[in-house]
Amino acid sequence: MTTAPLTQELFREDGYLQHCEATVIEHRDDGFVTDQTVFYPVGGGQLGDSGRLQRADGSEIAISNTIKERDTGAIVHQTDASALPAIGERVRLNIDWDRRYRIMRLHSCMHMLCAVVPAAVTGGGIRDDGSARIDFNLPEPPDKLAIEADLNRLTQGDHPMSIHWISDAEMEARPELIRTMSVKPPMGHGRVRLIQFDGADLQPCGGTHVANSGEIGPVRIKKIENKGKQNRRIIVVLDE
């Protein structure tokens, strides 16, 4: 397989982009690759985007999921369509914005939960049902009501989000920024992306987030589960 050029990831700088123009550069068995995209690929606990491709004649192709190839950096827009757009064709990529925005709120909520629970993260992820979970390294079950109250103060507060980049060397010198025990931030490309919610949370993250914690809105702790001697799973849902 021919090595694909690196797909420009427009969502890294602006998670609110809902569409973009792009050129199809390669085909895959399950989809196609473009030179740039607003579609976030599954990873880091965040779901891959779905949406549609629009062609010049107005016809559309449904995109069911988005993945990133580890070896090439190419982002593959997965589709069940029998006929793929031609290589070199200019297209318009449109994400399912309602779904993405819900994911952004949940992902940002997980940052707020990390700010509330002072423990290392052992795992986590977002589900399409409007819930998300984080597993914490905690010897004792935390107080559900207290966590929910503290979390809602952040998710309904005013904590602006900003993106910062630091070098790999700076990241190595600041290990306290890493909250996850199982996953390390992607390094080796010269810089690492930090997400900061002013006055609430700062950690490396490549996902998409709301511009202010207040956009998350009220949330509810659905359940706290024991998943081992020191593993407590906290499940959060948006209280829409």
Side-chain angles (χ1 to χ4, degrees), residues 173-194:
R174 301 180 65 184
E176 74 279 0
L177 292 176
I178 302 175
R179 297 296 304 274
T180 59
M181 298 174 64
S182 57
V183 180
K184 292 185 178 181
M187 298 175 67
H189 300 289
R191 62 178 190 164
V192 178
R193 183 174 183 256
L194 297 182

Side-chain angles (χ1 to χ4, degrees), residues 216-227:
I216 302 168
V219 298
R220 179 167 47 88
I221 302 295
K222 181 178 181 181
K223 187 185 298 184
I224 298 179
E225 300 176 335
N226 292 337
K227 290 295 182 178

Side-chain angles (χ1 to χ4, degrees), residues 3 31 51 58 153 179 213:
T3 301
R153 276 192 285 272
R179 297 296 304 274
S213 66

